[in-house]
Amino acid sequence: MSSTTKDTTTDSPDVMVEIRAVHKSFGTLEVLRGIDLSVRAGEVTVVLGPSGSGKSTLLRTINHLEKVDHGWISFDGTLVGYRRDGNKLYELREREVLRQRTRIGFVFQNFNLFPHLTVLENIIEAPVSALRRPRKDAVAAAEKLLARVGLADKAGVYPKQLSGGQQQRVAIARALALEPKLLLFDEPTSALDPELVGEVLDVIKDLARGGTTMIVVTHEIGFAREVADTVVFMDEGRIVEQGAPADVLDRPDNPRTRAFLSKVL
Amino acid sequence: MSAQTDAFPQPRPAPLSKDPVPLSKGSDTVHDAEPLRIVPVRRTGQWAAAVAVLVLLALALSSVIRNGAFQWDVVGDYFTTASVLRGLGLTLWLTALVMVLGFALGTLLAVLRLSTNRVLQVVSWGYVWLFRSTPILVQLLFWFNIGALYPQILGVRTVNLLGPVTVAVIGLTLHEAAYAAEVVRGGILSVERGQIEAAQSLGLGAWRRLRRIVLPQAMRSIVPPAGNMLIGTLKGTSIVSVIAVQDLLYSVQLVYHRTYQVIPLLLVATLWYVAVTSLLSIGQHCIERHYARGTAGAR
């Protein structure tokens, strides 16, 4: 990364993710209408909002799965997906974008495990091929991660032989295998049967307590209350309210936040 | 299981008076202590049809065996002669070569078609359009007579450079690639978008994503039509007999033009084609099982 990108960090040095004036449209539909958000290192940010409010799109712009139309996002002091030179933002080559992504873990709603690879192969794929780790080290690290998510005995199994909750725990272990500085969760429990939600949330809570910086898009209000340092409420492509969970969830200022919470609580 | 059978004969509460319709006419069958036996419906018509089909098959078979004009002894005489085996050998390696080259070129075409560059997309589409729009026979004759357009290629006389066998390989491969491109493209499209996004978010490069994540999953939808194409190509190579390439069919034709034993020699070729396609079908089954690993059906 060239030194010209360093000047993008404006706030205090412990800001991990900075999102400024981000706009994004799909065709004529404007999904993000000017998002500003800062996430500090070691904090858990939970993004709430009705479906279609743009929360998943916002999350996907942070690791450049979606390109932004206006504005910029920086991660750990470096612009995501672009290089700044003067007043211009040059799109990065894919190889450079991929290198950035290895430092950001992403957990999908539908797990997206590779069905033709075993649990172990799923986890060591990125460390071995993207980070060029020796296979032996990657396997040892993967086994530790599997133990951490409570699936030490499932290394040789194919994903389809696991329950949804187990698959999502493997997906979390796969994201952790790159030792990312930031974890993004896109509705990690929305595709799960109700009785399996708890086991996945427990793993995420455990990570939160360990000080991992994470942004979690979810509908689990109880989880937000318990784990979040900051709760962000989005509606129609804008952040309408943000703050400590006690403030946003119990004493919301915005009528739209109140309306949403009254429906889900 | 045992819990169910134990529980079953136990006396049950009388049916609610609100719903007095008995489950069976006459006796109160469901409450009997005896275990119940299930009697399937008798499909008399189906069985009659099956018998009739068997009789017709037996008649056809006996006529094939007893009709002397089939000349089964001649079939036996020529089945493993050197010229027939040479022809079979050529058919086999020509099929293999065309399949490998055709799918290599077809995969490239599919990747071009799915790229984000407009020009590459259109070129790939145009190739498939052109080579699917003309009969393979016409294409083959065209390549055979390419010397009329380009009498010399790189200073060598075209006729010397492109013998019949080379023309056969080129003509069949270019045609095969057009179909292979569509098969591979369909396979790649069948892979869920989320798989590619997951690979991207893990930092896997484009080539690694294609080889390690997309193609292995695409193979599940590629193998059945590819197996179809392989068998079609094996039989389709017989078309090269028109440009005097000595494949299996041309080898038996050479014999029967001399001996006039047309039917038995065609039977020689037929039996070899059947034998090889049968082996290929078994191979396809094994390959399908390999690529189904990790899916519900393959546990």
PDB file of all heavy atoms in Angstrom, chain B residues 193-229:
ATOM      1  N   ARG B 193     -23.797 -18.272  -6.404  1.00  0.00           N
ATOM      2  CA  ARG B 193     -23.066 -17.008  -6.333  1.00  0.00           C
ATOM      3  C   ARG B 193     -22.317 -16.872  -4.997  1.00  0.00           C
ATOM      4  O   ARG B 193     -21.208 -16.363  -4.930  1.00  0.00           O
ATOM      5  CB  ARG B 193     -24.084 -15.869  -6.514  1.00  0.00           C
ATOM      6  CG  ARG B 193     -23.562 -14.488  -6.394  1.00  0.00           C
ATOM      7  CD  ARG B 193     -23.210 -13.856  -7.743  1.00  0.00           C
ATOM      8  NE  ARG B 193     -22.264 -12.775  -7.515  1.00  0.00           N
ATOM      9  CZ  ARG B 193     -21.010 -12.770  -7.949  1.00  0.00           C
ATOM     10  NH1 ARG B 193     -20.560 -13.755  -8.671  1.00  0.00           N
ATOM     11  NH2 ARG B 193     -20.201 -11.775  -7.678  1.00  0.00           N
ATOM     12  N   GLY B 194     -22.958 -17.340  -3.931  1.00  0.00           N
ATOM     13  CA  GLY B 194     -22.366 -17.232  -2.597  1.00  0.00           C
ATOM     14  C   GLY B 194     -21.044 -17.971  -2.473  1.00  0.00           C
ATOM     15  O   GLY B 194     -20.183 -17.580  -1.682  1.00  0.00           O
ATOM     16  N   GLN B 195     -20.865 -19.032  -3.258  1.00  0.00           N
ATOM     17  CA  GLN B 195     -19.608 -19.771  -3.218  1.00  0.00           C
ATOM     18  C   GLN B 195     -18.459 -18.896  -3.689  1.00  0.00           C
ATOM     19  O   GLN B 195     -17.373 -18.906  -3.123  1.00  0.00           O
ATOM     20  CB  GLN B 195     -19.716 -21.012  -4.127  1.00  0.00           C
ATOM     21  CG  GLN B 195     -20.638 -22.069  -3.578  1.00  0.00           C
ATOM     22  CD  GLN B 195     -20.027 -22.750  -2.380  1.00  0.00           C
ATOM     23  OE1 GLN B 195     -18.887 -23.170  -2.417  1.00  0.00           O
ATOM     24  NE2 GLN B 195     -20.774 -22.835  -1.291  1.00  0.00           N
ATOM     25  N   ILE B 196     -18.703 -18.127  -4.755  1.00  0.00           N
ATOM     26  CA  ILE B 196     -17.668 -17.260  -5.303  1.00  0.00           C
ATOM     27  C   ILE B 196     -17.402 -16.109  -4.332  1.00  0.00           C
ATOM     28  O   ILE B 196     -16.255 -15.740  -4.087  1.00  0.00           O
ATOM     29  CB  ILE B 196     -18.101 -16.748  -6.693  1.00  0.00           C
ATOM     30  CG1 ILE B 196     -18.230 -17.947  -7.639  1.00  0.00           C
ATOM     31  CG2 ILE B 196     -17.100 -15.745  -7.246  1.00  0.00           C
ATOM     32  CD1 ILE B 196     -19.092 -17.711  -8.840  1.00  0.00           C
ATOM     33  N   GLU B 197     -18.478 -15.575  -3.746  1.00  0.00           N
ATOM     34  CA  GLU B 197     -18.306 -14.487  -2.777  1.00  0.00           C
ATOM     35  C   GLU B 197     -17.512 -14.954  -1.563  1.00  0.00           C
ATOM     36  O   GLU B 197     -16.652 -14.230  -1.052  1.00  0.00           O
ATOM     37  CB  GLU B 197     -19.665 -13.941  -2.344  1.00  0.00           C
ATOM     38  CG  GLU B 197     -20.332 -13.130  -3.435  1.00  0.00           C
ATOM     39  CD  GLU B 197     -21.630 -12.500  -2.979  1.00  0.00           C
ATOM     40  OE1 GLU B 197     -22.138 -12.886  -1.909  1.00  0.00           O
ATOM     41  OE2 GLU B 197     -22.126 -11.617  -3.702  1.00  0.00           O
ATOM     42  N   ALA B 198     -17.803 -16.181  -1.112  1.00  0.00           N
ATOM     43  CA  ALA B 198     -17.060 -16.715   0.029  1.00  0.00           C
ATOM     44  C   ALA B 198     -15.586 -16.831  -0.324  1.00  0.00           C
ATOM     45  O   ALA B 198     -14.714 -16.448   0.462  1.00  0.00           O
ATOM     46  CB  ALA B 198     -17.621 -18.074   0.435  1.00  0.00           C
ATOM     47  N   ALA B 199     -15.300 -17.338  -1.526  1.00  0.00           N
ATOM     48  CA  ALA B 199     -13.906 -17.488  -1.947  1.00  0.00           C
ATOM     49  C   ALA B 199     -13.237 -16.123  -2.067  1.00  0.00           C
ATOM     50  O   ALA B 199     -12.076 -15.954  -1.674  1.00  0.00           O
ATOM     51  CB  ALA B 199     -13.844 -18.234  -3.276  1.00  0.00           C
ATOM     52  N   GLN B 200     -13.980 -15.138  -2.591  1.00  0.00           N
ATOM     53  CA  GLN B 200     -13.414 -13.782  -2.699  1.00  0.00           C
ATOM     54  C   GLN B 200     -13.119 -13.207  -1.326  1.00  0.00           C
ATOM     55  O   GLN B 200     -12.084 -12.596  -1.105  1.00  0.00           O
ATOM     56  CB  GLN B 200     -14.401 -12.862  -3.423  1.00  0.00           C
ATOM     57  CG  GLN B 200     -14.422 -13.068  -4.917  1.00  0.00           C
ATOM     58  CD  GLN B 200     -15.483 -12.226  -5.584  1.00  0.00           C
ATOM     59  OE1 GLN B 200     -16.522 -11.926  -4.976  1.00  0.00           O
ATOM     60  NE2 GLN B 200     -15.248 -11.850  -6.828  1.00  0.00           N
ATOM     61  N   SER B 201     -14.071 -13.397  -0.400  1.00  0.00           N
ATOM     62  CA  SER B 201     -13.883 -12.791   0.911  1.00  0.00           C
ATOM     63  C   SER B 201     -12.755 -13.475   1.675  1.00  0.00           C
ATOM     64  O   SER B 201     -12.235 -12.919   2.631  1.00  0.00           O
ATOM     65  CB  SER B 201     -15.189 -12.828   1.716  1.00  0.00           C
ATOM     66  OG  SER B 201     -15.436 -14.134   2.165  1.00  0.00           O
ATOM     67  N   LEU B 202     -12.368 -14.688   1.249  1.00  0.00           N
ATOM     68  CA  LEU B 202     -11.229 -15.356   1.880  1.00  0.00           C
ATOM     69  C   LEU B 202      -9.924 -14.997   1.190  1.00  0.00           C
ATOM     70  O   LEU B 202      -8.860 -15.522   1.520  1.00  0.00           O
ATOM     71  CB  LEU B 202     -11.428 -16.874   1.841  1.00  0.00           C
ATOM     72  CG  LEU B 202     -12.506 -17.425   2.775  1.00  0.00           C
ATOM     73  CD1 LEU B 202     -12.798 -18.881   2.454  1.00  0.00           C
ATOM     74  CD2 LEU B 202     -12.065 -17.300   4.227  1.00  0.00           C
ATOM     75  N   GLY B 203     -10.008 -14.147   0.150  1.00  0.00           N
ATOM     76  CA  GLY B 203      -8.791 -13.690  -0.512  1.00  0.00           C
ATOM     77  C   GLY B 203      -8.248 -14.647  -1.558  1.00  0.00           C
ATOM     78  O   GLY B 203      -7.095 -14.539  -1.952  1.00  0.00           O
ATOM     79  N   LEU B 204      -9.059 -15.609  -2.025  1.00  0.00           N
ATOM     80  CA  LEU B 204      -8.578 -16.542  -3.053  1.00  0.00           C
ATOM     81  C   LEU B 204      -8.565 -15.843  -4.420  1.00  0.00           C
ATOM     82  O   LEU B 204      -9.523 -15.179  -4.791  1.00  0.00           O
ATOM     83  CB  LEU B 204      -9.478 -17.784  -3.138  1.00  0.00           C
ATOM     84  CG  LEU B 204      -9.691 -18.566  -1.841  1.00  0.00           C
ATOM     85  CD1 LEU B 204     -10.469 -19.839  -2.131  1.00  0.00           C
ATOM     86  CD2 LEU B 204      -8.368 -18.908  -1.196  1.00  0.00           C
ATOM     87  N   GLY B 205      -7.496 -16.037  -5.172  1.00  0.00           N
ATOM     88  CA  GLY B 205      -7.357 -15.408  -6.481  1.00  0.00           C
ATOM     89  C   GLY B 205      -8.278 -16.031  -7.508  1.00  0.00           C
ATOM     90  O   GLY B 205      -8.851 -17.102  -7.288  1.00  0.00           O
ATOM     91  N   ALA B 206      -8.414 -15.347  -8.654  1.00  0.00           N
ATOM     92  CA  ALA B 206      -9.383 -15.764  -9.671  1.00  0.00           C
ATOM     93  C   ALA B 206      -9.123 -17.188 -10.169  1.00  0.00           C
ATOM     94  O   ALA B 206     -10.042 -17.996 -10.307  1.00  0.00           O
ATOM     95  CB  ALA B 206      -9.354 -14.791 -10.840  1.00  0.00           C
ATOM     96  N   TRP B 207      -7.851 -17.488 -10.430  1.00  0.00           N
ATOM     97  CA  TRP B 207      -7.507 -18.809 -10.966  1.00  0.00           C
ATOM     98  C   TRP B 207      -7.793 -19.890  -9.930  1.00  0.00           C
ATOM     99  O   TRP B 207      -8.367 -20.940 -10.239  1.00  0.00           O
ATOM    100  CB  TRP B 207      -6.040 -18.811 -11.396  1.00  0.00           C
ATOM    101  CG  TRP B 207      -5.519 -20.146 -11.785  1.00  0.00           C
ATOM    102  CD1 TRP B 207      -4.544 -20.865 -11.168  1.00  0.00           C
ATOM    103  CD2 TRP B 207      -5.962 -20.953 -12.905  1.00  0.00           C
ATOM    104  NE1 TRP B 207      -4.357 -22.058 -11.811  1.00  0.00           N
ATOM    105  CE2 TRP B 207      -5.209 -22.132 -12.881  1.00  0.00           C
ATOM    106  CE3 TRP B 207      -6.923 -20.778 -13.903  1.00  0.00           C
ATOM    107  CZ2 TRP B 207      -5.386 -23.141 -13.819  1.00  0.00           C
ATOM    108  CZ3 TRP B 207      -7.103 -21.786 -14.834  1.00  0.00           C
ATOM    109  CH2 TRP B 207      -6.334 -22.948 -14.790  1.00  0.00           C
ATOM    110  N   ARG B 208      -7.402 -19.616  -8.668  1.00  0.00           N
ATOM    111  CA  ARG B 208      -7.639 -20.565  -7.583  1.00  0.00           C
ATOM    112  C   ARG B 208      -9.152 -20.789  -7.370  1.00  0.00           C
ATOM    113  O   ARG B 208      -9.603 -21.899  -7.142  1.00  0.00           O
ATOM    114  CB  ARG B 208      -6.996 -20.010  -6.312  1.00  0.00           C
ATOM    115  CG  ARG B 208      -7.112 -20.908  -5.103  1.00  0.00           C
ATOM    116  CD  ARG B 208      -6.110 -22.032  -5.126  1.00  0.00           C
ATOM    117  NE  ARG B 208      -6.236 -22.901  -3.967  1.00  0.00           N
ATOM    118  CZ  ARG B 208      -5.503 -23.992  -3.792  1.00  0.00           C
ATOM    119  NH1 ARG B 208      -4.624 -24.358  -4.689  1.00  0.00           N
ATOM    120  NH2 ARG B 208      -5.670 -24.740  -2.716  1.00  0.00           N
ATOM    121  N   ARG B 209      -9.930 -19.686  -7.450  1.00  0.00           N
ATOM    122  CA  ARG B 209     -11.383 -19.810  -7.282  1.00  0.00           C
ATOM    123  C   ARG B 209     -11.967 -20.727  -8.339  1.00  0.00           C
ATOM    124  O   ARG B 209     -12.798 -21.588  -8.057  1.00  0.00           O
ATOM    125  CB  ARG B 209     -12.056 -18.433  -7.399  1.00  0.00           C
ATOM    126  CG  ARG B 209     -11.791 -17.495  -6.261  1.00  0.00           C
ATOM    127  CD  ARG B 209     -12.829 -16.388  -6.214  1.00  0.00           C
ATOM    128  NE  ARG B 209     -12.847 -15.555  -7.400  1.00  0.00           N
ATOM    129  CZ  ARG B 209     -12.162 -14.425  -7.542  1.00  0.00           C
ATOM    130  NH1 ARG B 209     -11.381 -14.002  -6.580  1.00  0.00           N
ATOM    131  NH2 ARG B 209     -12.262 -13.720  -8.648  1.00  0.00           N
ATOM    132  N   LEU B 210     -11.502 -20.507  -9.594  1.00  0.00           N
ATOM    133  CA  LEU B 210     -12.040 -21.310 -10.695  1.00  0.00           C
ATOM    134  C   LEU B 210     -11.671 -22.775 -10.512  1.00  0.00           C
ATOM    135  O   LEU B 210     -12.528 -23.653 -10.585  1.00  0.00           O
ATOM    136  CB  LEU B 210     -11.484 -20.787 -12.027  1.00  0.00           C
ATOM    137  CG  LEU B 210     -12.004 -21.499 -13.280  1.00  0.00           C
ATOM    138  CD1 LEU B 210     -13.464 -21.142 -13.516  1.00  0.00           C
ATOM    139  CD2 LEU B 210     -11.175 -21.139 -14.506  1.00  0.00           C
ATOM    140  N   ARG B 211     -10.385 -23.031 -10.217  1.00  0.00           N
ATOM    141  CA  ARG B 211      -9.913 -24.407 -10.210  1.00  0.00           C
ATOM    142  C   ARG B 211     -10.348 -25.161  -8.965  1.00  0.00           C
ATOM    143  O   ARG B 211     -10.690 -26.336  -9.012  1.00  0.00           O
ATOM    144  CB  ARG B 211      -8.387 -24.419 -10.305  1.00  0.00           C
ATOM    145  CG  ARG B 211      -7.874 -25.311 -11.419  1.00  0.00           C
ATOM    146  CD  ARG B 211      -6.434 -25.681 -11.149  1.00  0.00           C
ATOM    147  NE  ARG B 211      -6.331 -26.366  -9.880  1.00  0.00           N
ATOM    148  CZ  ARG B 211      -5.459 -26.040  -8.927  1.00  0.00           C
ATOM    149  NH1 ARG B 211      -4.648 -25.045  -9.103  1.00  0.00           N
ATOM    150  NH2 ARG B 211      -5.435 -26.709  -7.786  1.00  0.00           N
ATOM    151  N   ARG B 212     -10.323 -24.490  -7.828  1.00  0.00           N
ATOM    152  CA  ARG B 212     -10.509 -25.188  -6.569  1.00  0.00           C
ATOM    153  C   ARG B 212     -11.975 -25.158  -6.086  1.00  0.00           C
ATOM    154  O   ARG B 212     -12.437 -26.084  -5.447  1.00  0.00           O
ATOM    155  CB  ARG B 212      -9.591 -24.540  -5.516  1.00  0.00           C
ATOM    156  CG  ARG B 212      -9.699 -25.111  -4.126  1.00  0.00           C
ATOM    157  CD  ARG B 212      -9.007 -26.420  -3.998  1.00  0.00           C
ATOM    158  NE  ARG B 212      -8.872 -26.814  -2.596  1.00  0.00           N
ATOM    159  CZ  ARG B 212      -8.725 -28.060  -2.191  1.00  0.00           C
ATOM    160  NH1 ARG B 212      -8.675 -29.029  -3.076  1.00  0.00           N
ATOM    161  NH2 ARG B 212      -8.606 -28.347  -0.916  1.00  0.00           N
ATOM    162  N   ILE B 213     -12.674 -24.051  -6.392  1.00  0.00           N
ATOM    163  CA  ILE B 213     -14.013 -23.889  -5.831  1.00  0.00           C
ATOM    164  C   ILE B 213     -15.093 -24.074  -6.904  1.00  0.00           C
ATOM    165  O   ILE B 213     -16.025 -24.861  -6.746  1.00  0.00           O
ATOM    166  CB  ILE B 213     -14.175 -22.491  -5.181  1.00  0.00           C
ATOM    167  CG1 ILE B 213     -13.073 -22.251  -4.140  1.00  0.00           C
ATOM    168  CG2 ILE B 213     -15.558 -22.333  -4.563  1.00  0.00           C
ATOM    169  CD1 ILE B 213     -13.028 -23.244  -3.016  1.00  0.00           C
ATOM    170  N   VAL B 214     -14.965 -23.387  -8.033  1.00  0.00           N
ATOM    171  CA  VAL B 214     -16.060 -23.370  -9.006  1.00  0.00           C
ATOM    172  C   VAL B 214     -16.102 -24.653  -9.849  1.00  0.00           C
ATOM    173  O   VAL B 214     -17.123 -25.346  -9.887  1.00  0.00           O
ATOM    174  CB  VAL B 214     -15.961 -22.122  -9.920  1.00  0.00           C
ATOM    175  CG1 VAL B 214     -17.036 -22.158 -10.978  1.00  0.00           C
ATOM    176  CG2 VAL B 214     -16.084 -20.863  -9.082  1.00  0.00           C
ATOM    177  N   LEU B 215     -14.972 -24.982 -10.513  1.00  0.00           N
ATOM    178  CA  LEU B 215     -15.014 -26.134 -11.421  1.00  0.00           C
ATOM    179  C   LEU B 215     -15.378 -27.456 -10.728  1.00  0.00           C
ATOM    180  O   LEU B 215     -16.216 -28.197 -11.258  1.00  0.00           O
ATOM    181  CB  LEU B 215     -13.702 -26.260 -12.206  1.00  0.00           C
ATOM    182  CG  LEU B 215     -13.551 -25.285 -13.385  1.00  0.00           C
ATOM    183  CD1 LEU B 215     -12.244 -25.526 -14.142  1.00  0.00           C
ATOM    184  CD2 LEU B 215     -14.731 -25.386 -14.360  1.00  0.00           C
ATOM    185  N   PRO B 216     -14.802 -27.766  -9.550  1.00  0.00           N
ATOM    186  CA  PRO B 216     -15.193 -29.037  -8.923  1.00  0.00           C
ATOM    187  C   PRO B 216     -16.701 -29.127  -8.668  1.00  0.00           C
ATOM    188  O   PRO B 216     -17.292 -30.200  -8.783  1.00  0.00           O
ATOM    189  CB  PRO B 216     -14.420 -29.045  -7.602  1.00  0.00           C
ATOM    190  CG  PRO B 216     -13.275 -28.140  -7.813  1.00  0.00           C
ATOM    191  CD  PRO B 216     -13.752 -27.079  -8.764  1.00  0.00           C
ATOM    192  N   GLN B 217     -17.318 -27.978  -8.329  1.00  0.00           N
ATOM    193  CA  GLN B 217     -18.773 -28.012  -8.100  1.00  0.00           C
ATOM    194  C   GLN B 217     -19.528 -28.012  -9.419  1.00  0.00           C
ATOM    195  O   GLN B 217     -20.593 -28.616  -9.546  1.00  0.00           O
ATOM    196  CB  GLN B 217     -19.199 -26.819  -7.253  1.00  0.00           C
ATOM    197  CG  GLN B 217     -18.613 -26.876  -5.856  1.00  0.00           C
ATOM    198  CD  GLN B 217     -19.142 -25.761  -4.979  1.00  0.00           C
ATOM    199  OE1 GLN B 217     -20.333 -25.683  -4.709  1.00  0.00           O
ATOM    200  NE2 GLN B 217     -18.266 -24.902  -4.531  1.00  0.00           N
ATOM    201  N   ALA B 218     -18.956 -27.320 -10.420  1.00  0.00           N
ATOM    202  CA  ALA B 218     -19.589 -27.292 -11.735  1.00  0.00           C
ATOM    203  C   ALA B 218     -19.582 -28.682 -12.358  1.00  0.00           C
ATOM    204  O   ALA B 218     -20.483 -29.024 -13.131  1.00  0.00           O
ATOM    205  CB  ALA B 218     -18.848 -26.310 -12.645  1.00  0.00           C
ATOM    206  N   MET B 219     -18.574 -29.503 -11.991  1.00  0.00           N
ATOM    207  CA  MET B 219     -18.458 -30.833 -12.599  1.00  0.00           C
ATOM    208  C   MET B 219     -19.717 -31.672 -12.405  1.00  0.00           C
ATOM    209  O   MET B 219     -20.044 -32.503 -13.239  1.00  0.00           O
ATOM    210  CB  MET B 219     -17.255 -31.590 -11.998  1.00  0.00           C
ATOM    211  CG  MET B 219     -15.917 -31.095 -12.485  1.00  0.00           C
ATOM    212  SD  MET B 219     -15.793 -31.072 -14.280  1.00  0.00           S
ATOM    213  CE  MET B 219     -15.326 -32.761 -14.596  1.00  0.00           C
ATOM    214  N   ARG B 220     -20.413 -31.428 -11.295  1.00  0.00           N
ATOM    215  CA  ARG B 220     -21.631 -32.207 -11.046  1.00  0.00           C
ATOM    216  C   ARG B 220     -22.640 -32.000 -12.156  1.00  0.00           C
ATOM    217  O   ARG B 220     -23.360 -32.929 -12.536  1.00  0.00           O
ATOM    218  CB  ARG B 220     -22.252 -31.824  -9.699  1.00  0.00           C
ATOM    219  CG  ARG B 220     -21.433 -32.314  -8.535  1.00  0.00           C
ATOM    220  CD  ARG B 220     -22.254 -32.361  -7.284  1.00  0.00           C
ATOM    221  NE  ARG B 220     -23.408 -33.220  -7.448  1.00  0.00           N
ATOM    222  CZ  ARG B 220     -24.575 -33.008  -6.868  1.00  0.00           C
ATOM    223  NH1 ARG B 220     -24.740 -31.966  -6.098  1.00  0.00           N
ATOM    224  NH2 ARG B 220     -25.565 -33.839  -7.060  1.00  0.00           N
ATOM    225  N   SER B 221     -22.741 -30.790 -12.681  1.00  0.00           N
ATOM    226  CA  SER B 221     -23.671 -30.575 -13.799  1.00  0.00           C
ATOM    227  C   SER B 221     -22.983 -30.749 -15.147  1.00  0.00           C
ATOM    228  O   SER B 221     -23.656 -30.841 -16.154  1.00  0.00           O
ATOM    229  CB  SER B 221     -24.327 -29.202 -13.738  1.00  0.00           C
ATOM    230  OG  SER B 221     -23.946 -28.479 -12.637  1.00  0.00           O
ATOM    231  N   ILE B 222     -21.641 -30.778 -15.163  1.00  0.00           N
ATOM    232  CA  ILE B 222     -20.946 -30.938 -16.446  1.00  0.00           C
ATOM    233  C   ILE B 222     -20.876 -32.415 -16.850  1.00  0.00           C
ATOM    234  O   ILE B 222     -21.026 -32.741 -18.028  1.00  0.00           O
ATOM    235  CB  ILE B 222     -19.522 -30.328 -16.368  1.00  0.00           C
ATOM    236  CG1 ILE B 222     -19.610 -28.796 -16.280  1.00  0.00           C
ATOM    237  CG2 ILE B 222     -18.685 -30.725 -17.562  1.00  0.00           C
ATOM    238  CD1 ILE B 222     -18.279 -28.113 -16.081  1.00  0.00           C
ATOM    239  N   VAL B 223     -20.651 -33.312 -15.866  1.00  0.00           N
ATOM    240  CA  VAL B 223     -20.361 -34.712 -16.209  1.00  0.00           C
ATOM    241  C   VAL B 223     -21.484 -35.400 -16.996  1.00  0.00           C
ATOM    242  O   VAL B 223     -21.201 -36.011 -18.027  1.00  0.00           O
ATOM    243  CB  VAL B 223     -19.971 -35.523 -14.948  1.00  0.00           C
ATOM    244  CG1 VAL B 223     -19.938 -37.003 -15.255  1.00  0.00           C
ATOM    245  CG2 VAL B 223     -18.605 -35.076 -14.446  1.00  0.00           C
ATOM    246  N   PRO B 224     -22.754 -35.313 -16.586  1.00  0.00           N
ATOM    247  CA  PRO B 224     -23.768 -36.036 -17.382  1.00  0.00           C
ATOM    248  C   PRO B 224     -23.826 -35.606 -18.857  1.00  0.00           C
ATOM    249  O   PRO B 224     -23.742 -36.476 -19.732  1.00  0.00           O
ATOM    250  CB  PRO B 224     -25.073 -35.750 -16.639  1.00  0.00           C
ATOM    251  CG  PRO B 224     -24.654 -35.443 -15.247  1.00  0.00           C
ATOM    252  CD  PRO B 224     -23.325 -34.757 -15.360  1.00  0.00           C
ATOM    253  N   PRO B 225     -23.910 -34.297 -19.172  1.00  0.00           N
ATOM    254  CA  PRO B 225     -23.897 -33.934 -20.591  1.00  0.00           C
ATOM    255  C   PRO B 225     -22.560 -34.227 -21.270  1.00  0.00           C
ATOM    256  O   PRO B 225     -22.535 -34.543 -22.461  1.00  0.00           O
ATOM    257  CB  PRO B 225     -24.188 -32.425 -20.607  1.00  0.00           C
ATOM    258  CG  PRO B 225     -23.972 -31.953 -19.236  1.00  0.00           C
ATOM    259  CD  PRO B 225     -24.172 -33.114 -18.327  1.00  0.00           C
ATOM    260  N   ALA B 226     -21.448 -34.158 -20.501  1.00  0.00           N
ATOM    261  CA  ALA B 226     -20.143 -34.475 -21.092  1.00  0.00           C
ATOM    262  C   ALA B 226     -20.071 -35.965 -21.446  1.00  0.00           C
ATOM    263  O   ALA B 226     -19.512 -36.342 -22.479  1.00  0.00           O
ATOM    264  CB  ALA B 226     -19.008 -34.081 -20.152  1.00  0.00           C
ATOM    265  N   GLY B 227     -20.676 -36.799 -20.590  1.00  0.00           N
ATOM    266  CA  GLY B 227     -20.735 -38.236 -20.891  1.00  0.00           C
ATOM    267  C   GLY B 227     -21.529 -38.480 -22.157  1.00  0.00           C
ATOM    268  O   GLY B 227     -21.147 -39.281 -23.022  1.00  0.00           O
ATOM    269  N   ASN B 228     -22.634 -37.770 -22.267  1.00  0.00           N
ATOM    270  CA  ASN B 228     -23.436 -37.808 -23.490  1.00  0.00           C
ATOM    271  C   ASN B 228     -22.589 -37.443 -24.698  1.00  0.00           C
ATOM    272  O   ASN B 228     -22.632 -38.116 -25.737  1.00  0.00           O
ATOM    273  CB  ASN B 228     -24.540 -36.761 -23.374  1.00  0.00           C
ATOM    274  CG  ASN B 228     -25.900 -37.375 -23.439  1.00  0.00           C
ATOM    275  OD1 ASN B 228     -26.021 -38.557 -23.730  1.00  0.00           O
ATOM    276  ND2 ASN B 228     -26.916 -36.587 -23.185  1.00  0.00           N
ATOM    277  N   MET B 229     -21.815 -36.347 -24.548  1.00  0.00           N
ATOM    278  CA  MET B 229     -21.001 -35.868 -25.666  1.00  0.00           C
ATOM    279  C   MET B 229     -19.915 -36.864 -26.015  1.00  0.00           C
ATOM    280  O   MET B 229     -19.607 -37.080 -27.187  1.00  0.00           O
ATOM    281  CB  MET B 229     -20.370 -34.520 -25.318  1.00  0.00           C
ATOM    282  CG  MET B 229     -21.308 -33.352 -25.509  1.00  0.00           C
ATOM    283  SD  MET B 229     -20.511 -31.804 -25.099  1.00  0.00           S
ATOM    284  CE  MET B 229     -19.251 -31.718 -26.359  1.00  0.00           C
TER     285      MET B 229
END
